[in-house]
Amino acid sequence: MTTANDRAADHAIDPLFLERWSPRAFSDEQIGEAELLSLFEAARWAPSSYNSQPWRFIYARRGTAHWARLLGLLNAFNASWAKDSAALVVIVSKSTLVVPGKSQEIASHTHSFDAGAAWAYLALQATRSGWQAHGMAGLDFERAAQQLNVPGGYRVEAAVAIGKVGDKAQLPEALQAREVPSQRNPLAASVFEGAFPAG
């Protein structure tokens, strides 16, 4: 079996990047408020255009008053397994920013990109702390904006399920075979010196 250390050896990256994956089978372990907030603290240090920090996180822990609302925003497939996670998060980004030294809001070209950086920091901190975070685009974005009181000028980006990895036998048979870290395309498929390859 290939380990994260084996896969990291080719390009000498930190194994943390390879230990992060997106499981669907979660244990019934609860996450404490302080531990969950530590994941958001990591996300807080992500880079952003003009340090505008456009990300916003709306969360609920399983068993708390807001859990059913967030779970109900997911599509049926995602809700079927995310119901076992310890926490759900909806990521929102602010589509404008104020350039330092100015006072007027302007459109931010990178608000989604920057929110993505914050999500990555959160996911890596989750892995470092013994949890895993699974990002999802399968949610009702319009209903999320309404039910979560998202102001105008903000974009609902994605949802995230956070939990401890559980037994894949709890998943439907069709999903059990997929309950492994995904492979990645070779660097040559996405990294080009100077420009896209011709043709």
Side-chain angles (χ1 to χ4, degrees), residues 130-145:
W131 301 86
Q132 289 292 353
H134 186 134
M136 300 170 278
L139 72 154
D140 188 325
F141 293 96
E142 184 175 339
R143 197 156 50 85

Side-chain angles (χ1 to χ4, degrees), residues 16 20 22 34 48 78 92 98 100 106 118 159 164 171 178 183:
L16 175 66
R20 188 222 62 80
S22 300
S48 60
N78 285 334
V92 177
V98 177
I106 62 169
K164 289 283 178 81
L171 296 172
R178 295 169 55 186
Q183 295 303 308

Side-chain angles (χ1 to χ4, degrees), residues 12-182:
I13 65 171
D14 191 304
L16 175 66
F17 294 95
L18 301 168
E19 292 163 2
R20 188 222 62 80
W21 63 296
S22 300
R24 291 188 177 91
F26 290 112
S27 75
D28 62 0
E29 187 166 344
Q30 300 275 10
I31 189 168
E33 184 88 6
E35 189 159 19
L36 181 57
L37 290 176
S38 75
L39 308 187
F40 297 127
E41 175 65 17
R44 189 168 76 94
W45 291 96
S48 60
S49 179
Y50 291 105
N51 194 31
S52 61
Q53 302 171 48
W55 47 80
R56 305 291 185 269
F57 301 103
I58 300 164
Y59 73 91
R61 293 181 298 134
R62 191 176 71 245
T64 64
H66 304 292
W67 176 257
R69 182 191 303 128
L70 266 66
L71 185 63
L73 296 174
L74 304 180
N75 65 22
F77 171 73
N78 285 334
S80 72
W81 56 264
K83 69 183 187 327
D84 297 319
S85 64
L88 291 171
V89 180
V90 173
I91 302 174
V92 177
S93 68
K94 187 172 188 277
S95 62
T96 60
L97 59 79
V98 177
V99 175
K102 305 289 185 180
S103 59
Q104 186 174 353
E105 297 264 349
I106 62 169
S108 171
H109 181 76
T110 63
H111 65 97
S112 292
F113 179 80
D114 296 341
W119 139 248
Y121 275 37
L122 182 154
L124 290 170
Q125 183 62 41
T127 300
R128 173 63 57 83
S129 302
W131 301 86
Q132 289 292 353
H134 186 134
M136 300 170 278
L139 72 154
D140 188 325
F141 293 96
E142 184 175 339
R143 197 156 50 85
Q146 293 170 351
Q147 293 190 10
L148 302 179
N149 300 322
V150 176
Y154 287 76
R155 181 179 192 268
V156 177
E157 299 285 355
V160 178
I162 299 168
K164 289 283 178 81
V165 177
D167 185 350
K168 69 179 181 180
Q170 70 197 60
L171 296 172
E173 188 173 345
L175 287 180
Q176 291 180 27
R178 295 169 55 186
E179 193 65 358
V180 294
S182 302

